[in-house]
Amino acid sequence: MQNMNKDIQEILFDEEQLRQMTQTVARQINADYSGQSLVVIGVLKGSFLFLADLFRQLTADCRIDFIAASSYGASTTSSGNVRIIKDIHMDVSNKHVLLVEDILDTGSTLSYLTEYISQKGAQTVRICTLLDKPSRRTKPVQADYAGAVIPDYFVVGYGLDYDERYRNLPYIGILKPEIYTK
Ligand code: PRP
């Protein structure tokens, strides 16, 4: 069995820190949506662990659905071209919607998805992200709720991948550069 931990340069957020970050965000969301109905939309795949932990702490009248988007275009930097590869099935017209992400990076994905969900008639669309990397932003997107603002580190774990690996690490770590430069 390969040991993924050896590929990690440094643990950025351990399990206890992730728990506290999630609790802090949940409290903010609970205060803002008190007494309201909310459609939570998880952006696959990266958000799935954060969302699982967040969702059970939400106290509003919640429904849940999932969406998956992909950037296309040749290069590792985001082209800004986004397409839906798995759509929601729920009717969001006149609903309060909360998009939940693992990371807000260039903003291409959430810029597109916010507009996409708005066009489906949502009453409000807000963004909740576990991690926010504002230094990488190319689209004018801001998180309404963020667990942490981070520098431009290459992070994996707790849902976040490199080449589809490391999502099952229970912490968020900085990947050793030799892993993604080889
Ligand atoms: C990642 C992440 C966000 C997006 C953020 O998804 O989960 O959806 O990139 O980047 P952006 O702000 O530059 O658009 P990815 O395409 O890697 O898919 P995944 O969630 O399946 O890992």
Side-chain angles (χ1 to χ4, degrees):
M1 191 177 90
Q2 285 183 304
N3 181 3
M4 294 179 296
N5 295 303
K6 71 175 178 8
D7 298 343
I8 302 302
Q9 182 172 293
E10 181 189 331
I11 294 178
L12 192 59
F13 300 112
D14 64 20
E15 289 176 76
E16 176 56 23
Q17 288 171 307
L18 289 170
R19 197 187 64 76
Q20 287 181 9
M21 286 155 62
T22 304
Q23 186 178 75
T24 300
V25 167
R27 284 180 177 156
Q28 294 168 356
I29 295 168
N30 289 339
D32 289 351
Y33 292 95
S34 174
Q36 299 188 59
S37 295
L38 180 61
V39 177
V40 176
I41 299 179
V43 184
L44 297 173
K45 303 177 191 167
S47 69
F48 79 109
L49 290 177
F50 172 50
L51 181 53
D53 289 337
L54 177 72
F55 193 68
R56 62 188 119 172
Q57 293 187 48
L58 299 183
T59 53
D61 173 23
C62 289
R63 293 173 175 80
I64 194 161
D65 205 343
F66 298 91
I67 199 164
S70 171
S71 290
Y72 59 95
S75 88
T76 50
T77 55
S78 177
S79 61
N81 296 317
V82 178
R83 71 189 164 93
I84 306 290
I85 53 177
K86 183 236 169 287
D87 206 345
I88 56 169
H89 298 290
M90 198 164 282
D91 178 7
V92 294
S93 56
N94 302 311
K95 300 286 198 301
H96 295 298
V97 173
L98 183 66
L99 288 166
V100 177
E101 262 286 23
D102 56 340
I103 189 161
L104 175 50
D105 191 7
T106 67
S108 294
T109 305
L110 281 173
S111 170
Y112 183 87
L113 291 182
T114 303
E115 179 62 22
Y116 182 73
I117 297 298
S118 295
Q119 285 185 0
K120 284 178 178 280
Q123 188 176 340
T124 62
V125 184
R126 284 187 182 159
I127 291 169
C128 172
T129 187
L130 177 64
L131 303 177
D132 186 5
K133 263 193 200 179
S135 63
R136 295 251 309 156
R137 205 79 91 246
T138 58
K139 294 277 165 60
V141 185
Q142 280 191 312
D144 297 285
Y145 310 96
V149 175
I150 64 166
D152 188 13
Y153 296 143
F154 199 127
V155 285
V156 295
Y158 195 58
L160 288 89
D161 75 312
Y162 168 62
D163 201 16
E164 295 298 334
R165 296 180 60 218
Y166 307 101
R167 293 194 200 270
N168 55 321
L169 289 174
Y171 58 82
I172 288 184
I174 300 171
L175 194 62
K176 286 181 180 170
E178 66 217 52
I179 304 298
Y180 55 87
T181 52
K182 68 184 174 191

